[in-house]
Amino acid sequence: GAVVSQHPSRVICKSGTSVKIECRSLDFQATTMFWYRQFPKQSLMLMATSNEGSKATYEQGVEKDKFLINHASLTLSTLTVTSAHPEDSSFYICSARTPTGTGTEAFFGQGTRLTVV
Amino acid sequence: AQTVTQSQPEMSVQEAETVTLSCTYDTSESDYYLFWYKQPPSRQMILVIRQEAYKQQNATENRFSVNFQKAAKSFSLKISDSQLGDAAMYFCAYRSINNNDMRFGAGTRLTVKP
Protein backbone atom coordinates (compact mmCIF):
# COMPACT_ATOMS: atom_id res chain seq x y z
CA GLY A 1 0.00 0.00 0.00
CA ALA A 2 0.87 3.67 -0.16
CA VAL A 3 3.30 5.05 2.40
CA VAL A 4 2.84 8.14 4.49
CA SER A 5 5.78 9.28 6.57
CA GLN A 6 5.42 11.56 9.54
CA HIS A 7 8.29 13.31 11.28
CA PRO A 8 9.28 13.61 14.03
CA SER A 9 7.85 10.64 15.89
CA ARG A 10 8.48 12.28 19.24
CA VAL A 11 9.17 15.84 20.23
CA ILE A 12 9.52 17.61 23.54
CA CYS A 13 9.40 21.37 23.56
CA LYS A 14 9.26 24.16 26.06
CA SER A 15 6.08 26.03 26.70
CA GLY A 16 5.77 29.04 24.44
CA THR A 17 7.81 27.66 21.59
CA SER A 18 6.53 26.40 18.23
CA VAL A 19 6.82 22.92 16.83
CA LYS A 20 6.51 21.79 13.23
CA ILE A 21 5.34 18.32 12.25
CA GLU A 22 5.78 17.06 8.70
CA CYS A 23 3.62 14.62 6.80
CA ARG A 24 4.88 13.25 3.52
CA SER A 25 3.32 10.93 0.98
CA LEU A 26 6.31 8.95 -0.26
CA ASP A 27 5.03 7.15 -3.33
CA PHE A 28 1.94 9.05 -4.38
CA GLN A 29 0.64 12.56 -4.74
CA ALA A 30 -1.87 13.63 -2.14
CA THR A 31 -3.99 16.65 -2.96
CA THR A 32 -5.64 16.27 0.41
CA MET A 33 -4.19 15.34 3.76
CA PHE A 34 -5.82 15.20 7.14
CA TRP A 35 -4.58 16.02 10.60
CA TYR A 36 -5.93 14.22 13.64
CA ARG A 37 -5.34 14.56 17.33
CA GLN A 38 -5.59 11.61 19.67
CA PHE A 39 -5.72 11.93 23.44
CA PRO A 40 -4.68 8.95 25.57
CA LYS A 41 -7.11 6.06 25.29
CA GLN A 42 -9.38 8.07 23.05
CA SER A 43 -10.30 8.12 19.41
CA LEU A 44 -8.89 10.18 16.57
CA MET A 45 -10.43 13.60 16.32
CA LEU A 46 -10.17 15.36 12.98
CA MET A 47 -8.53 18.75 13.38
CA ALA A 48 -8.31 19.96 9.81
CA THR A 49 -8.26 19.03 6.17
CA SER A 50 -5.19 20.19 4.32
CA ASN A 51 -5.61 21.05 0.65
CA GLU A 52 -2.65 21.50 -1.64
CA GLY A 53 -2.33 25.07 -2.80
CA SER A 54 -5.17 26.45 -0.72
CA LYS A 55 -6.14 27.17 2.85
CA ALA A 56 -6.84 24.35 5.21
CA THR A 57 -10.34 23.64 6.42
CA TYR A 58 -10.53 23.48 10.20
CA GLU A 59 -13.02 21.60 12.28
CA GLN A 60 -15.18 23.49 14.68
CA GLY A 61 -13.36 24.35 17.86
CA VAL A 62 -9.86 24.05 16.40
CA GLU A 63 -7.88 27.26 16.59
CA LYS A 64 -6.50 27.96 13.15
CA ASP A 65 -4.04 30.51 14.48
CA LYS A 66 -2.63 27.99 16.89
CA PHE A 67 -2.47 25.03 14.56
CA LEU A 68 -1.02 26.33 11.32
CA ILE A 69 -1.29 24.01 8.37
CA ASN A 70 0.62 24.39 5.15
CA HIS A 71 0.25 22.11 2.13
CA ALA A 72 2.76 23.59 -0.24
CA SER A 73 3.26 20.55 -2.45
CA LEU A 74 1.46 17.40 -3.48
CA THR A 75 3.62 15.32 -1.17
CA LEU A 76 4.06 17.46 1.92
CA SER A 77 1.79 18.93 4.53
CA THR A 78 3.01 20.53 7.74
CA LEU A 79 1.31 21.21 11.03
CA THR A 80 2.86 23.89 13.21
CA VAL A 81 1.76 24.14 16.81
CA THR A 82 2.43 27.76 17.69
CA SER A 83 3.15 29.00 21.20
CA ALA A 84 2.70 25.50 22.52
CA HIS A 85 1.34 24.93 26.00
CA PRO A 86 1.15 21.78 28.13
CA GLU A 87 -2.49 21.27 27.13
CA ASP A 88 -1.31 20.88 23.53
CA SER A 89 0.54 17.73 24.54
CA SER A 90 -1.01 14.93 22.56
CA PHE A 91 -0.53 12.43 19.77
CA TYR A 92 -0.92 13.94 16.32
CA ILE A 93 -1.55 11.78 13.27
CA CYS A 94 -1.72 12.70 9.62
CA SER A 95 -3.30 10.75 6.80
CA ALA A 96 -3.64 10.98 3.07
CA ARG A 97 -5.71 9.32 0.43
CA THR A 98 -4.46 8.18 -2.90
CA PRO A 99 -6.04 10.23 -5.66
CA THR A 100 -7.18 7.35 -7.80
CA GLY A 101 -10.07 5.04 -7.28
CA THR A 102 -13.02 5.41 -5.02
CA GLY A 103 -13.51 4.31 -1.49
CA THR A 104 -9.83 3.90 -1.00
CA GLU A 105 -8.70 3.87 2.55
CA ALA A 106 -6.64 6.61 4.06
CA PHE A 107 -3.01 5.85 4.73
CA PHE A 108 -1.72 7.05 8.03
CA GLY A 109 1.58 8.36 9.21
CA GLN A 110 3.15 6.80 12.25
CA GLY A 111 2.12 9.73 14.42
CA THR A 112 3.94 12.32 16.49
CA ARG A 113 3.90 12.39 20.24
CA LEU A 114 4.18 16.00 21.35
CA THR A 115 5.08 16.79 24.93
CA VAL A 116 5.11 20.40 26.03
CA VAL A 117 6.97 21.05 29.27
CA ALA B 1 -23.11 15.03 10.81
CA GLN B 2 -22.30 11.39 10.78
CA THR B 3 -21.51 9.69 14.05
CA VAL B 4 -19.89 6.35 14.73
CA THR B 5 -20.56 4.44 17.95
CA GLN B 6 -18.55 1.60 19.40
CA SER B 7 -20.33 0.46 22.53
CA GLN B 8 -17.63 -1.92 23.75
CA PRO B 9 -14.68 -0.06 25.31
CA GLU B 10 -12.91 -3.37 25.99
CA MET B 11 -13.21 -6.92 24.77
CA SER B 12 -11.30 -10.05 25.58
CA VAL B 13 -10.91 -13.28 23.64
CA GLN B 14 -9.06 -16.52 24.15
CA GLU B 15 -6.40 -17.31 21.61
CA ALA B 16 -7.81 -19.29 18.67
CA GLU B 17 -11.37 -18.30 19.54
CA THR B 18 -13.68 -15.92 17.71
CA VAL B 19 -14.66 -12.43 18.79
CA THR B 20 -17.06 -9.86 17.38
CA LEU B 21 -16.63 -6.12 17.77
CA SER B 22 -19.69 -3.93 17.37
CA CYS B 23 -20.11 -0.68 15.50
CA THR B 24 -23.15 1.36 14.64
CA TYR B 25 -23.33 4.61 12.77
CA ASP B 26 -25.76 7.33 11.98
CA THR B 27 -26.12 8.84 8.54
CA SER B 28 -28.71 10.12 6.13
CA GLU B 29 -26.62 9.20 3.12
CA SER B 30 -27.32 6.17 0.99
CA ASP B 31 -23.80 5.61 -0.25
CA TYR B 32 -20.67 5.67 1.86
CA TYR B 33 -17.70 3.62 3.00
CA LEU B 34 -17.01 1.85 6.26
CA PHE B 35 -13.68 0.75 7.64
CA TRP B 36 -12.14 -1.08 10.53
CA TYR B 37 -8.69 0.09 11.57
CA LYS B 38 -6.33 -1.54 14.04
CA GLN B 39 -4.02 0.52 16.22
CA PRO B 40 -1.37 -1.59 18.00
CA PRO B 41 0.84 -0.19 20.78
CA SER B 42 3.06 1.38 18.13
CA ARG B 43 0.10 3.71 17.41
CA GLN B 44 0.37 3.10 13.66
CA MET B 45 -3.10 2.89 12.14
CA ILE B 46 -3.51 -0.23 10.04
CA LEU B 47 -6.44 -0.92 7.76
CA VAL B 48 -8.12 -4.21 8.61
CA ILE B 49 -11.07 -4.26 6.25
CA ARG B 50 -13.35 -1.97 4.30
CA GLN B 51 -16.90 -2.14 2.98
CA GLU B 52 -18.65 -0.15 0.31
CA ALA B 53 -22.24 0.53 1.31
CA TYR B 54 -23.58 -0.23 -2.15
CA LYS B 55 -22.25 -3.77 -1.93
CA GLN B 56 -24.56 -6.22 -0.25
CA GLN B 57 -21.89 -8.86 0.15
CA ASN B 58 -19.99 -8.69 3.39
CA ALA B 59 -16.27 -8.01 3.04
CA THR B 60 -13.80 -10.66 4.11
CA GLU B 61 -10.05 -10.52 4.58
CA ASN B 62 -8.59 -13.81 5.74
CA ARG B 63 -9.56 -14.19 9.42
CA PHE B 64 -11.44 -10.89 9.43
CA SER B 65 -14.98 -10.49 8.20
CA VAL B 66 -17.75 -8.00 8.68
CA ASN B 67 -21.49 -8.22 9.18
CA PHE B 68 -22.84 -5.19 7.37
CA GLN B 69 -26.48 -4.48 8.08
CA LYS B 70 -27.29 -1.34 6.11
CA ALA B 71 -30.85 -0.91 7.28
CA ALA B 72 -29.79 -1.27 10.89
CA LYS B 73 -26.69 0.87 10.28
CA SER B 74 -24.56 -1.76 11.87
CA PHE B 75 -21.04 -2.82 10.89
CA SER B 76 -19.54 -5.44 13.17
CA LEU B 77 -16.11 -7.02 12.83
CA LYS B 78 -15.57 -10.72 13.41
CA ILE B 79 -12.08 -11.99 14.11
CA SER B 80 -11.74 -15.73 13.77
CA ASP B 81 -8.93 -17.87 15.16
CA SER B 82 -7.71 -14.94 17.25
CA GLN B 83 -3.97 -14.53 17.56
CA LEU B 84 -1.87 -12.77 20.14
CA GLY B 85 -0.90 -10.23 17.49
CA ASP B 86 -4.52 -9.21 17.11
CA ALA B 87 -4.38 -7.45 20.46
CA ALA B 88 -4.84 -3.75 19.76
CA MET B 89 -7.31 -0.90 19.70
CA TYR B 90 -9.85 -1.30 16.94
CA PHE B 91 -11.57 1.70 15.41
CA CYS B 92 -14.62 1.68 13.23
CA ALA B 93 -14.69 4.53 10.71
CA TYR B 94 -17.16 6.09 8.30
CA ARG B 95 -16.43 8.06 5.18
CA SER B 96 -18.94 9.78 2.98
CA ILE B 97 -18.44 9.53 -0.76
CA ASN B 98 -18.82 13.28 -0.88
CA ASN B 99 -16.25 14.10 1.74
CA ASN B 100 -12.67 13.09 2.14
CA ASP B 101 -12.45 12.91 5.89
CA MET B 102 -13.17 9.96 8.12
CA ARG B 103 -15.16 9.84 11.32
CA PHE B 104 -13.98 7.40 13.91
CA GLY B 105 -15.69 5.59 16.72
CA ALA B 106 -14.31 5.70 20.24
CA GLY B 107 -12.50 2.42 19.79
CA THR B 108 -12.53 -1.03 21.36
CA ARG B 109 -9.49 -2.38 23.13
CA LEU B 110 -9.09 -6.05 22.32
CA THR B 111 -7.10 -8.30 24.60
CA VAL B 112 -6.12 -11.79 23.45
CA LYS B 113 -5.44 -14.27 26.21
CA PRO B 114 -2.97 -17.10 25.59
Side-chain angles (χ1 to χ4, degrees), chain A residues 32 34 36 38-44 46 49 59 91 93 97 102-110 113, chain B residues 33 35 37 39 42-47 50 52 54 89 91 95 99-107 109:
Chain A
T32 304
F34 308 93
Y36 294 86
Q38 186 179 28
F39 290 103
K41 299 184 179 180
Q42 294 189 27
S43 187
L44 282 71
L46 180 67
T49 301
E59 294 298 299
F91 193 71
I93 306 177
R97 279 184 58 224
T102 58
T104 55
E105 73 274 20
F107 296 94
F108 288 83
Q110 48 277 67
R113 182 179 299 282
Chain B
Y33 306 103
F35 306 86
Y37 278 89
Q39 188 181 43
S42 68
R43 307 292 290 271
Q44 175 73 56
M45 295 288 283
I46 302 167
L47 177 69
R50 64 170 174 261
E52 290 88 347
Y54 64 85
M89 281 290 289
F91 292 99
R95 186 176 79 78
N99 295 321
N100 281 319
D101 65 83
M102 280 189 182
R103 303 292 167 168
F104 290 87
R109 180 172 299 280

Side-chain angles (χ1 to χ4, degrees), chain B residues 47-66:
Chain B
L47 177 69
V48 175
I49 199 166
R50 64 170 174 261
Q51 174 84 42
E52 290 88 347
Y54 64 85
K55 291 185 177 179
Q56 293 184 342
Q57 187 173 8
N58 289 324
T60 299
E61 287 288 343
N62 300 315
R63 298 183 294 108
F64 300 87
S65 61
V66 298

